[in-house]
Amino acid sequence: MSVAKRIIPCLDVKNGETVKGTNFVNLRSAGDPVALGKAYSEQGADELVFLDITASHEGRKTFTDMVTRVAQEINIPFTVGGGINQLDDVTRLLNAGADKVSINSAAIRNPQLINEITSQYGSQVCVCAIDARYDDGEWICYLNGGRVPTERRLFEWAREVEERGAGEILFTSMNHDGVKEGYANDALAMLSETLNIPVIASGGAGKREHFRDVFTEGKADAALAASVFHFGEIPIPELKRYLAAEGVNVRI
């Protein structure tokens, strides 16, 4: 029996509230992250991701306090990311109750950070997020929430991330983010075939069939989504029943 596929709601947190946009812009409020996280836990989400999207100094304190409250309210694993630039940030968030941390821009700027996190806390704690946009026939990695293009390319960077010890990769297609027309299944399938660590798909969920396709065509280990969950478009229990009926192994 294959390992069960995971459904992961993602909560982007700004100034203490959950927000959601399209193609990384046009943010609107989606409610209290702790209350949302608790509701998702009760509905059968397998894990949660909370991202501090404005990780200024003041934002960090608000976010760390939120992580502590989330840990008190839910009983499923959760990952936190945003503004993690050094090992001290990881320690602070794990001490607040997070199970894993997600690093993105800091990993590209300082790849050694992946080695430091995994040697200190183990591979299972380190999720490396990659935001990439498909431009002129290649996937280009971006920094700073999709604002700054880099010289790194998706597949070579993903291989290096694995070699440095990261436990999972969270790949967001910027072309697909918030558009609700399906995940980047071709790129996901290539990642899954190239790597030996789990790949979490992000960007593009709009209907139940997109989740089926990301697991069957995209070969993803987990599917992350935001607005379809936040705004009640796809209830998690209904989604899991649908996936099970389609032959996808999920925890119900």
Side-chain angles (χ1 to χ4, degrees):
M1 190 70 172
S2 61
V3 174
K5 304 293 189 180
R6 290 170 287 153
I7 300 296
I8 306 177
C10 179
L11 298 89
D12 290 343
V13 180
K14 179 180 182 183
N15 302 326
E17 68 173 3
T18 311
V19 295
K20 183 57 191 140
T22 303
N23 299 125
F24 284 49
V25 294
N26 300 325
L27 301 177
R28 57 178 175 151
S29 176
D32 173 59
V34 180
L36 265 177
K38 185 177 182 182
Y40 290 142
S41 175
E42 291 168 351
Q43 289 169 25
D46 297 293
E47 296 182 23
L48 298 171
V49 172
F50 294 87
L51 298 177
D52 181 359
I53 64 169
T54 49
S56 62
H57 177 69
E58 186 51 40
R60 280 186 190 181
K61 182 180 184 317
T62 304
F63 188 75
T64 306
D65 291 345
M66 183 215 72
V67 170
T68 302
R69 290 188 295 131
V70 168
Q72 293 166 346
E73 293 286 348
I74 72 169
N75 56 8
I76 57 174
F78 70 100
T79 301
V80 293
I84 296 172
N85 297 305
Q86 55 195 19
L87 202 56
D88 285 352
D89 297 323
V90 178
T91 303
R92 170 174 52 85
L93 292 164
L94 293 178
N95 286 343
D99 297 280
K100 310 177 195 178
V101 295
S102 171
I103 55 172
N104 188 336
S105 300
I108 290 181
R109 291 196 185 98
N110 173 25
Q112 186 64 27
L113 180 60
I114 300 170
N115 304 65
E116 292 174 16
I117 294 170
T118 56
S119 61
Q120 179 79 21
Y121 292 112
S123 290
Q124 77 285 351
V125 160
C126 185
V127 178
C128 193
I130 303 176
D131 296 335
R133 180 189 294 279
Y134 192 68
D135 282 325
D136 296 326
E138 56 186 354
W139 285 95
I140 297 166
C141 300
Y142 275 68
L143 294 173
N144 294 17
R147 295 179 187 90
V148 182
T150 72
E151 296 296 311
R152 305 307 300 250
R153 299 297 179 260
L154 172 62
F155 299 104
E156 55 92 4
W157 174 232
R159 282 192 292 272
E160 179 176 336
V161 163
E162 179 179 38
E163 288 164 6
R164 288 180 176 276
E168 292 183 283
I169 282 176
L170 166 55
F171 163 52
T172 300
S173 164
M174 294 171 59
N175 307 72
H176 296 72
D177 178 69
V179 180
K180 299 186 178 180
E181 293 180 355
Y183 291 88
N185 291 327
D186 290 347
L188 285 159
M190 283 184 65
L191 278 176
S192 295
E193 288 161 6
T194 303
L195 305 171
N196 295 308
I197 57 175
V199 176
I200 304 167
S202 170
K207 55 186 181 179
R208 299 179 310 177
E209 291 79 2
H210 295 153
F211 289 89
R212 176 198 63 199
D213 295 346
V214 79
F215 293 133
T216 55
E217 298 170 19
K219 299 182 170 63
D221 298 278
L224 182 134
S227 56
V228 293
F229 296 141
H230 299 342
F231 302 114
E233 295 162 35
I234 303 178
I236 291 171
E238 177 190 303
L239 172 61
K240 286 193 160 188
R241 286 192 297 270
Y242 164 79
L243 290 170
E246 291 287 320
V248 177
N249 180 19
V250 289
R251 295 184 195 92
I252 294 183

